[in-house]
Amino acid sequence: MALPIVKGSRYTTVLPSTGAEIEYRPYNVGEEKLLMVALESKDQQMIIRTLKDVMQSCIFDKVDFDKFTVFDFEKLFLALRAKSVGEIVDLEMKCQDTECNSVTPVSVNLEEINLTDLPESNTIIIDNDIGVTLRFPGVQDVERYDEEHLAKPQGAFDLMIDCIDTIFDEEGVYNTKEEPRESVEAFLNNLSSAQFRKLSTFFESIPTLTHNIEYKCIKCGKENELELKGLQSFFT
Ligand SMILES: [Zn+2]
């Protein structure tokens, strides 16, 4: 005898960078298990791979995650998580008083988490007529490196090189994909600190998932305040 299959609901969400609508169903228990195993591994590449697989199964149209910005990807997962498991995530937050260190349970409503605004422009004028156009880091870019490398200055630098689309001057526009990577790296190394700062400002203003939480420590009563940032901080 064939057992019945429970039909799920359909929802839509909007990608922040393009405004494109994505239609999806919640993930099921089997898929949730895959996600939990991946998250527990703390292996960034495995986590992204599993997220991609599960998210693709839940999205009705075929999507190319390699073209997704990191923040679109995170926002989409958050929407999926909210409809699959529920909007409320229970976190255990440490007291910021280093002598206390007690853990207080805190609930976060995923639907209240917003992305910061997009930067005004992706064109940066570095000096007189020389400038660059930048793109947002994509899922593909982050997947290429491990988390440890990305946290180092060289990692941030590598990601910056990946995200320079073109370099231009009064004579023309140079597509960096057609230039050797070493040339792009040399271009960056040649900038003054003040010029380099203009580029880093763009990367610092990339939309991120942020949420401020306030909680009173259950042990010492200290009022704690913290900004949660990035996908993983909402799940660990
Ligand atoms: Zn405390």
Side-chain angles (χ1 to χ4, degrees), residues 144-162:
R144 201 176 304 141
Y145 307 107
D146 56 49
E147 214 172 354
E148 219 175 292
H149 181 67
L150 283 178
K152 290 183 200 149
Q154 184 58 42
F157 202 73
D158 283 337
L159 196 59
M160 210 181 253
I161 297 173
D162 295 334

Side-chain angles (χ1 to χ4, degrees), residues 116-135:
T116 49
D117 292 338
L118 293 166
E120 272 171 33
S121 168
N122 67 336
T123 302
I124 312 283
I125 302 297
I126 291 173
D127 192 32
N128 295 322
D129 295 322
I130 299 179
V132 297
T133 57
L134 303 166
R135 62 177 178 80

Side-chain angles (χ1 to χ4, degrees), residues 95 100 217 220:
C95 183
C100 172
C217 174
C220 74

Side-chain angles (χ1 to χ4, degrees), residues 1-214:
M1 189 183 79
L3 293 172
I5 292 172
V6 182
K7 275 227 183 94
S9 322
R10 294 169 84 110
Y11 300 94
T12 51
T13 189
V14 171
L15 292 185
S17 75
T18 60
E21 267 197 10
I22 301 269
E23 205 184 354
Y24 65 95
R25 62 159 174 85
Y27 50 77
N28 59 34
V29 173
E31 289 158 340
E32 187 185 5
K33 257 191 254 163
L34 294 176
L35 290 171
M36 299 310 284
V37 171
L39 283 171
E40 270 165 29
S41 79
K42 309 251 184 250
D43 172 345
Q44 166 129 319
Q45 273 136 348
M46 181 180 171
I47 294 171
I48 296 178
R49 218 165 38 234
T50 311
L51 282 171
K52 280 208 256 187
D53 288 347
V54 170
M55 281 157 81
Q56 181 59 79
S57 318
C58 295
I59 296 171
F60 292 105
D61 291 318
K62 179 105 188 80
V63 291
D64 183 0
F65 286 123
D66 290 340
K67 297 210 171 76
F68 269 55
T69 66
V70 172
F71 61 84
D72 281 328
F73 190 72
E74 292 184 337
K75 183 77 189 173
L76 182 56
F77 179 68
L78 223 54
L80 202 57
R81 163 69 167 77
K83 294 294 181 228
S84 305
V85 192
E87 288 86 0
I88 308 296
V89 175
D90 296 314
L91 301 172
E92 306 229 289
M93 304 308 300
K94 248 194 190 167
C95 183
Q96 287 163 341
D97 183 327
T98 44
E99 279 176 21
C100 172
N101 265 329
S102 296
V103 169
T104 301
V106 179
S107 296
V108 174
N109 186 338
L110 295 181
E111 311 230 297
E112 284 171 8
I113 297 170
N114 289 310
L115 282 173
T116 49
D117 292 338
L118 293 166
E120 272 171 33
S121 168
N122 67 336
T123 302
I124 312 283
I125 302 297
I126 291 173
D127 192 32
N128 295 322
D129 295 322
I130 299 179
V132 297
T133 57
L134 303 166
R135 62 177 178 80
F136 299 120
V139 175
Q140 204 182 17
D141 302 312
V142 176
E143 213 177 1
R144 201 176 304 141
Y145 307 107
D146 56 49
E147 214 172 354
E148 219 175 292
H149 181 67
L150 283 178
K152 290 183 200 149
Q154 184 58 42
F157 202 73
D158 283 337
L159 196 59
M160 210 181 253
I161 297 173
D162 295 334
C163 293
I164 299 177
D165 263 342
T166 67
I167 299 173
F168 57 84
D169 61 13
E170 65 240 314
E171 277 162 40
V173 178
Y174 313 94
N175 183 345
T176 54
K177 297 290 155 299
E178 289 158 16
E179 307 290 332
R181 192 179 173 84
E182 300 78 60
S183 309
V184 183
E185 187 161 5
F187 172 84
L188 280 185
N189 277 324
N190 201 33
L191 299 177
S192 69
S193 306
Q195 293 166 337
F196 188 75
R197 190 76 214 121
K198 292 183 185 172
L199 290 192
S200 12
T201 304
F202 173 86
F203 289 97
E204 281 155 19
S205 63
I206 290 169
T208 47
L209 297 172
T210 54
H211 189 61
N212 290 316
I213 54 169
E214 287 168 22

